[in-house]
Amino acid sequence: MQATPIHDTIIASLARRGTLDQDDHAAIRRLTLTQRQIEPSTYLVREGEKPTRCAFVLSGFTYRQKLTSNGARQIVSLQIPGEFIDLQNLWLDESDHNVQALTRAQIADVDIAALRTTVTERPAIAAAMWLESLIDASIFREWIVNIGRRDAHTRVGHLLCEFSLRLEAAGVATTRAYNLPMTQEQLGDTVGLTPVHVNRVLKALAQRGLIERDRRQIRIVDWTGLRDASDFNPRYLHLKQV
């Protein structure tokens, strides 16, 4: 397959995680990519299915979620532009979670078998993807602490801080202002609160002068104040390795 600008985008993303040489670049450019646009709520991965492809986010947002037997949803992670969606399933025979589009998104699909061959033959690419998965795991741990040991105001504020830094690092947002990709219901399913409770918390954070919001537009007015009020330490994001 002829190399495309999407191949170069993937190379640039992995190069943030480790040093790739020209042979690594060539191996990535040999991968066959299928670009597609997906609409909000579209499933990219379904629990119980055998993974056949791994997707890279070009624009928009996706999220991982688990459903209980009675249909309750818990959102367990968010994927932003410049990230692979499903490296967790690269070596697994069966998916243990769902992945859905949070917004309209552009993605590039890679055949899992081809990607397995590439990471087996190119240790530097494998190391970069391994680091990506380790950082995902670090964020998972922090989200568990957030939902399990922080109060409502701290949970929501912590997530707003995380979004700000991750989106800024990805070049999607700057100067502590961004368009929140989640509805209040989706925020609630992330932090274990009802949409009504999420709305109250957002209003309270605004009244305290920590944020300003206009519908989904969020601007962090007092970063230090929000950081301290939200028990936020960015160490778990490993931004120095981004």
Side-chain angles (χ1 to χ4, degrees):
M1 177 182 178
Q2 184 177 4
T4 69
I6 299 176
H7 288 88
D8 293 334
T9 299
I10 293 175
I11 289 169
S13 176
L14 291 175
R16 295 185 302 163
R17 305 301 194 196
T19 301
L20 305 181
D21 63 23
Q22 291 303 310
D23 289 337
D24 295 320
H25 293 187
I28 294 171
R29 292 190 176 107
R30 285 194 294 271
L31 290 170
T32 298
L33 305 179
T34 303
Q35 185 178 359
R36 58 189 173 120
Q37 179 174 287
I38 54 176
E39 298 301 314
S41 300
T42 301
Y43 278 86
L44 288 90
V45 178
R46 285 188 181 271
E47 184 172 355
E49 291 186 347
K50 180 179 178 61
T52 60
R53 57 195 178 191
C54 185
F56 181 84
V57 183
L58 298 168
S59 65
F61 301 87
T62 67
Y63 65 94
R64 294 189 185 94
Q65 54 101 331
K66 295 278 289 185
L67 296 174
T68 64
S69 58
N70 65 1
R73 177 179 66 177
Q74 180 66 45
I75 293 175
V76 297
S77 72
L78 177 75
Q79 294 77 53
I80 67 175
E83 294 182 351
F84 278 97
I85 287 174
D86 201 29
L87 291 179
Q88 282 81 1
N89 280 334
L90 187 57
W91 300 102
L92 297 176
D93 292 331
E94 184 180 37
S95 178
D96 54 40
H97 63 279
N98 301 298
V99 179
Q100 286 181 270
L102 181 62
T103 65
R104 179 176 293 172
Q106 291 281 342
I107 64 170
D109 286 321
V110 187
D111 178 74
I112 274 188
L115 196 57
R116 285 174 179 168
T117 299
T118 299
V119 299
T120 300
E121 295 176 348
R122 306 303 309 174
I125 295 175
M129 290 186 175
W130 179 231
L131 180 56
E132 180 86 12
S133 295
L134 290 173
I135 293 174
D136 274 349
S138 178
I139 295 173
F140 283 144
R141 289 190 290 273
E142 192 69 26
W143 280 33
I144 290 171
V145 174
N146 205 38
I147 195 171
R149 292 298 176 183
R150 295 186 176 116
D151 64 28
H153 289 74
T154 310
R155 290 182 208 177
V156 175
H158 195 280
L159 202 61
L160 295 181
C161 288
E162 177 184 311
F163 285 170
S164 177
L165 292 189
R166 288 180 67 188
L167 295 176
E168 186 174 352
V172 178
T174 57
T175 64
R176 308 296 188 213
Y178 56 91
N179 187 33
L180 187 66
M182 289 179 157
T183 65
Q184 291 181 13
E185 178 183 4
Q186 291 163 339
L187 277 172
D189 286 347
T190 302
V191 296
L193 302 172
T194 66
V196 172
H197 202 164
V198 168
N199 186 50
R200 289 173 181 164
V201 171
L202 290 172
K203 286 182 177 179
L205 293 175
Q207 289 170 353
R208 292 168 61 184
L210 301 177
I211 67 169
E212 291 179 349
R213 69 184 182 112
D214 180 8
R215 298 183 181 180
R216 292 200 195 181
Q217 287 289 328
I218 298 291
R219 187 170 78 86
I220 299 177
V221 178
D222 182 355
W223 170 258
T224 301
L226 184 64
R227 178 199 65 194
D228 294 345
S230 304
D231 189 33
F232 183 78
N233 184 325
R235 182 183 300 116
Y236 71 98
L237 296 174
H238 298 279
L239 293 173
K240 293 181 180 179
Q241 292 186 272
V242 173

